[in-house]
Amino acid sequence: MKLNVILTVFRKEILDLLRDRRTLLSMVVLPIVVFPLLFSVMGKFMGEAGKKAESEATTVAIVADQIPSGFNSAIARSGLSIVVVQDVASAVESKKAATGLTVSPDGKLAKVYSEGTRQSSGIAADKLRTALNDYRDAMILEKLKSVQLDASALKPFTVKRENVASERRMGGSMLGSILGYIVILLMFSGGMYPAIDMAAGEKERRTLEALLASPANRTDIVLGKILACVAATYSTALLTTASLFLSLKQGVVDMQGAEKLMGNVPTDPQTMVLMLLTLVPIAVMAGSLMLSIALLARSFKEAQSYLTPLVMLVIFPSLLGGLPGMELTPTLSLIPIFNTSQLLKNILQGDVPVLSFAITNLANIGYAVICFLLAVRSFNNENVLFRT
Amino acid sequence: MLQVNGLSRNFVDKKRGIVKAVDNVSFSVAKGEIFGLLGPNGAGKSTTLRLVSTMLKPSSGTAIINGFDIATHPAEVRRQIGFLTGDMGLYARQTPRETLMFFGRLAEVPELQLSQRTDDLLRRLDMLDFADTRCDKLSSGMKQKTAIARTLIHDPPMLILDEPTATLDLPTARVIEASILEAKRAGKCIVYSTHIMEEAEYLCDRIGVINHGQLKISGTMDELRAITGKQRLREVFLELLELPSAA
């Protein structure tokens, strides 16, 4: 093994990648813009949809002369304006009014109408219901007073739910579930073109023979290539992670309603370092695996048709790992990709199960070594190199 | 300089079973000599040259280049060889100068010597005008010059040329031929494969005719004429293809 030869190949491949627009797009541009874009679009839509719903939640449909007078004051307090219609249900359904109210002739049953798919209808119905509840409570108080009873008799105690998860954990839970698979997915797609370019690309451009005829050792050549491919994959991961954290920090300020989704996002150095460490064996695994597969192909197109399904395949375990309620047990820590997206979630929640962390990373290092050796072996196999 | 002894290589083909792509081939080439390997397409020329340059491993037999055995010292063997084929490509996003530096470093030519040799080759092959233009912007003649320069960058004592002019137009092919004759004058040992008889007749000192993986005969033009009793290489060639086995 000759370090200077390995570095020569590595430098040449990196230079080649940086000069390739296609690679730059998937390796650098996409990871950087995807999160700011996603969050700003998401924020805008969420903000505007909320505003729009708020501005539309202004009307309540009633049938003329059917509402007892006490209810009218409740409606007035809800701030909704009255629309007089023939049929309340169809008026709400056809958007003539945001919500609707009917009261049974005996005054014992008040029905509030809402159209479940419309946010504005829900908001209006909530306003109306709150106003009606207040009205009812006032009536109760009135009656209690008349029989000289204290209001507390109705409520011996109150029940309140307390969420013990720290804010960091809530944020991490939401964030971890998307982060896990987006980072892994982008890593694979970022390393895909570099892998194709330096493996199948050599065959397609007919440069492989010259490379093999050079005095350099095949193992040294492929080590340089693996190194370059892993570097490409890992830098995609780095950029994706950095872009994610930055746009989250920014996004929470810019986005209305986003706080609920993101929570108090942990952006401390320790969290980032743990994350980036976890991604190292995955990058080695992804880079070497894709390079080995791309070596089998004779052309760019063929390599693409092998690697695209692989990237799709990667989505499943990482999506699974992002599902709420999934726990990272020591056994599950052995499943590649799944274990990583799961561990990323744990890291972002601020409590890392030590055993699972160790098993996940050890298992991933094992897979990385296997893929690495596979790539070295493929490059030393003349059937792979001279496949016709 | 080059000694090929009983070199054989079998491939396993799903339909045809074991195929003897190269079958017990022996020949030798001296310094300053051009040896032509002549044969129809699929005769085993490329496989023979790939075996000699250690890209493929032989099933049996061996070759010794400048004292290095292909089986035991493959890296040293490759250091002795400049390998060029007609359809070899270049790295599109590298310039000729970068290409030469890259291959020089792969051959571990010391940096100082490498930049001198690069400048020297660029000048000798008249490449200075496009030395720093990306290869995908070059004309086919410029590309071919770059490929030749790449073959020579580590100053190998031996050149292996596998149909180097096969895909080229006449003027570009002339560039190659001129470089080959210059290399011969410089005392390099050259193996040259082709299926074009006129080219072999014009360039080569000795010619070996190969078919179905077997070397049918080898010798100078005069020797070939004497053996077959034919005057023109075309007739010699056709005559030899009929021969049942190695002479």
Side-chain angles (χ1 to χ4, degrees), chain B residues 31-238:
Chain B
K31 274 185 184 173
E33 190 182 30
I34 303 181
F35 181 79
L37 210 50
L38 188 64
N41 290 330
K45 302 187 296 286
S46 290
T47 309
T48 305
L49 298 184
R50 280 177 174 175
L51 288 170
V52 171
S53 55
T54 79
M55 270 185 256
L56 295 175
K57 286 201 166 59
S59 306
S60 66
T62 192
I64 294 166
I65 294 154
N66 218 5
F68 297 105
D69 194 308
I70 55 168
T72 52
H73 296 85
E76 280 309 317
V77 166
R78 288 197 297 273
R79 204 179 301 282
Q80 311 301 315
I81 294 175
F83 188 90
L84 181 70
T85 75
D87 65 349
M88 251 185 197
L90 298 170
Y91 294 115
R93 298 185 294 274
Q94 308 263 322
T95 69
R97 190 189 298 277
E98 287 167 342
T99 305
L100 296 185
M101 294 298 278
F102 174 62
F103 279 91
R105 285 181 186 132
L106 286 186
E108 295 175 279
V109 179
E111 279 302 298
L112 192 68
Q113 205 181 337
L114 178 59
S115 39
Q116 277 171 5
R117 205 177 282 168
T118 302
D119 288 338
D120 185 42
L121 276 171
L122 291 175
R123 201 170 324 109
R124 251 172 51 207
L125 287 165
D126 198 17
M127 296 169 62
L128 288 169
D129 289 344
F130 57 89
D132 299 304
T133 309
R134 274 169 54 155
C135 287
D136 52 2
K137 304 264 191 307
L138 301 181
S139 73
S140 62
M142 293 169 175
K143 281 182 184 159
Q144 208 52 41
K145 282 184 177 180
T146 309
I148 297 170
R150 177 181 63 188
T151 312
L152 298 171
I153 187 67
H154 56 297
D155 197 21
M158 179 173 174
L159 294 180
I160 294 183
L161 310 168
D162 189 7
E163 306 209 18
T165 58
T167 57
L168 306 177
D169 57 11
L170 208 56
T172 320
R174 292 294 302 174
V175 174
I176 301 256
E177 287 174 4
S179 315
I180 292 168
L181 290 173
E182 197 195 315
K184 174 187 156 76
R185 277 195 297 278
K188 292 194 193 297
C189 162
I190 299 165
V191 181
Y192 186 101
S193 90
T194 181
H195 65 273
I196 304 166
M197 282 150 280
E198 287 72 19
E199 213 174 71
E201 201 167 4
Y202 166 66
L203 282 172
C204 301
D205 300 308
R206 285 192 303 128
I207 292 169
V209 177
I210 192 168
N211 197 25
H212 300 304
Q214 294 173 332
L215 192 68
K216 303 292 184 184
I217 196 171
S218 71
T220 62
M221 267 312 289
D222 286 340
E223 285 167 355
L224 295 188
R225 285 191 190 104
I227 293 168
T228 57
K230 307 279 180 188
Q231 264 309 302
R232 305 192 45 194
L233 183 58
R234 179 184 296 272
E235 292 162 342
V236 172
F237 182 62
L238 290 172

Side-chain angles (χ1 to χ4, degrees), chain A residues 99-287:
Chain A
T99 184
L101 177 68
T102 55
V103 181
S104 62
D106 59 0
K108 296 287 180 207
L109 177 67
K111 265 194 203 166
V112 173
Y113 292 78
S114 73
E115 212 278 281
T117 62
R118 269 172 24 228
Q119 206 187 346
S120 58
S121 180
I123 294 174
D126 279 345
K127 281 185 190 167
L128 185 58
R129 211 172 50 199
T130 309
L132 291 172
N133 280 340
D134 288 348
Y135 172 54
R136 185 185 57 190
D137 290 350
M139 280 171 73
I140 293 170
L141 278 179
E142 200 67 28
K143 286 203 173 134
L144 286 176
K145 227 183 250 172
S146 67
V147 293
Q148 291 181 345
L149 257 175
D150 193 70
S152 64
L154 276 182
K155 267 191 194 170
F157 61 89
T158 46
V159 182
K160 200 181 159 207
R161 192 165 116 176
E162 180 83 29
N163 187 352
V164 295
S166 60
E167 260 190 276
R168 172 186 169 115
R169 206 181 151 118
M170 290 299 287
S173 160
M174 297 301 290
L175 180 61
S177 38
I178 52 164
L179 183 87
Y181 73 91
I182 292 188
V183 169
I184 293 169
L185 182 66
L186 282 176
M187 249 171 102
F188 271 80
S189 73
M192 190 169 120
Y193 273 115
I196 294 176
D197 196 63
M198 54 184 100
E202 293 258 14
K203 291 191 195 175
E204 184 165 311
R205 279 185 236 112
R206 311 210 53 91
T207 49
L208 185 64
E209 267 189 309
L211 194 60
L212 296 178
S214 82
N217 194 314
R218 275 186 204 178
T219 303
D220 291 342
I221 294 173
V222 75
L223 286 179
K225 282 178 180 287
I226 296 173
L227 222 59
C229 194
V230 168
T233 312
Y234 195 66
S235 55
T236 309
L238 265 177
L239 288 171
T240 311
T241 310
S243 152
L244 179 78
F245 275 106
L246 282 177
S247 50
L248 277 172
K249 265 187 161 169
Q250 196 62 34
V252 171
V253 181
D254 290 352
M255 278 165 63
Q256 293 164 319
E259 300 89 339
K260 241 187 280 171
L261 187 71
M262 305 307 171
N264 186 10
V265 180
T267 43
D268 55 301
Q270 202 200 343
T271 304
M272 281 191 82
V273 167
L274 273 180
M275 249 185 78
L276 291 175
L277 274 182
T278 304
L279 291 174
V280 171
I282 288 291
V284 176
M285 186 178 104

